[in-house]
Amino acid sequence: MALTVNDVDRFEAFRPRLEAIAYRLLGSASETEDAVQETFLRWQAADTGHIRVPEAWLTKALTNLCLNQLTSARARRETYVGQWLPEPLLAGDPMLGPADTAEQRESVSYAVLALLERLSPGERAVYVLREAFDYPHREIAEILDLTEAASQQIFHRAKKHVADGKARSEIDAAAARRVVDEFLAAATSGETEPLVRLLTQDAVAIGDGGGKVPARAKAFEGALAVAKFMRGLFKPAKSKRDLVGGSPGIHVTTANGGPAIVAVLDGRVVGVVCLEITPEGIAAFRSQVNPDKLERATRRWAAGEHGAPLFHAF
């Protein structure tokens, strides 16, 4: 059926929320865009005059599309080259969605998105709808065709899984920026000990190159191993310049609401390192260098003003 102007306006008004839900479910901006577009096509084909609560209808349609996508994605990721990490979103990206509450901010953090990969598709859907968007269990049950009691049980189980994997509480933005600056100074000093002092003893470093950019298949674990890796990462080398096509500028910004280091070459984002910083030190580095997962970050970067880089790597 042909949509009326009012139908289109109703969808467009709800699009930001649909994008925020889908991104938290899928961890991929490109897959989010596809899911939201497919939801629009279903909305276009529906008899909207008989839909009593359009927002609930759209949420259910989108969530079920994402569940199907997650099921197939789990199979694809079994053959993914190396570590799989979510697609980072830079500061101000509307796909990040609402950030009014601590739960909303945490649900889109890079660390939690990585943890959500441990959940089943159903657990992830219940967790996102309840924790990030405060849907009542009655509505979640209707969206996912569950009982209300089942929704509550799944949520408590999912929340425990996420809590068990999280690092200690994070620190405020100003303190985090100081730690990032100290890290960059230490990483470019050529010495390992200053880096070790900035890390937690159980620190990890994970990289996603998608088979297109070299990235270690297994995470680095432990303060000393991570410090040595980071020292080597920032050490100048012609092979690194040849790999990326030059010397990228290094900027400090935020991605998914947390501190991040962004490497930019000729206007193209070639790497985003998301840091998980706790009162005890840096607990994790999650580096996204797969070019397929940096296209939106590049577009976002080009749309803003960022000033000169702190320095040029390699």
Side-chain angles (χ1 to χ4, degrees), residues 1-14 40 43-44 48-49 54 58:
M1 298 181 64
L3 292 181
T4 66
V5 172
N6 185 59
D7 289 334
V8 174
D9 289 346
R10 193 81 179 255
F11 182 88
E12 291 303 324
F14 202 59
F40 176 75
W43 175 245
Q44 188 177 41
T48 56
L58 290 168

Side-chain angles (χ1 to χ4, degrees), residues 192 195 204-207 215-216 220 223-235 240 285 287:
T192 302
L195 281 168
V204 297
I206 306 167
R216 192 168 186 259
F220 290 91
L224 183 58
V226 171
K228 288 180 177 179
F229 166 67
M230 287 296 170
R231 183 195 64 191
L233 184 64
F234 283 89
K235 186 177 181 180
K240 297 174 187 174
F285 299 88
S287 305

Side-chain angles (χ1 to χ4, degrees), residues 18 23 39 54 103 107 110 129 171 252 282 309:
L18 293 175
Y23 174 70
T39 302
E103 290 79 11
S107 70
Y110 210 61
L129 291 172
I171 61 178
V252 175
I282 303 173

Side-chain angles (χ1 to χ4, degrees), residues 113-194:
L113 284 179
L115 285 172
L116 291 182
E117 288 296 309
R118 302 180 182 183
L119 304 182
S120 70
E123 288 173 334
R124 187 164 182 164
V126 171
Y127 180 86
V128 166
L129 291 172
R130 179 62 182 164
E131 187 75 353
F133 296 94
D134 202 28
Y135 279 86
H137 283 290
R138 174 182 52 79
E139 291 185 23
I140 296 173
E142 292 173 357
I143 290 169
L144 299 175
D145 294 324
L146 303 169
T147 65
E148 189 170 344
S151 176
Q152 293 171 338
Q153 292 171 357
I154 291 170
F155 174 70
H156 290 306
R157 186 167 66 241
K159 191 168 185 177
K160 184 178 186 305
H161 286 328
V162 173
D164 288 346
K166 283 195 306 187
R168 283 69 61 192
S169 59
E170 298 184 3
I171 61 178
D172 64 68
R177 176 57 195 258
R178 289 194 294 272
V179 173
V180 175
D181 289 341
E182 290 176 14
F183 163 73
L184 288 173
T188 54
S189 71
E191 300 179 9
T192 302
E193 183 54 34

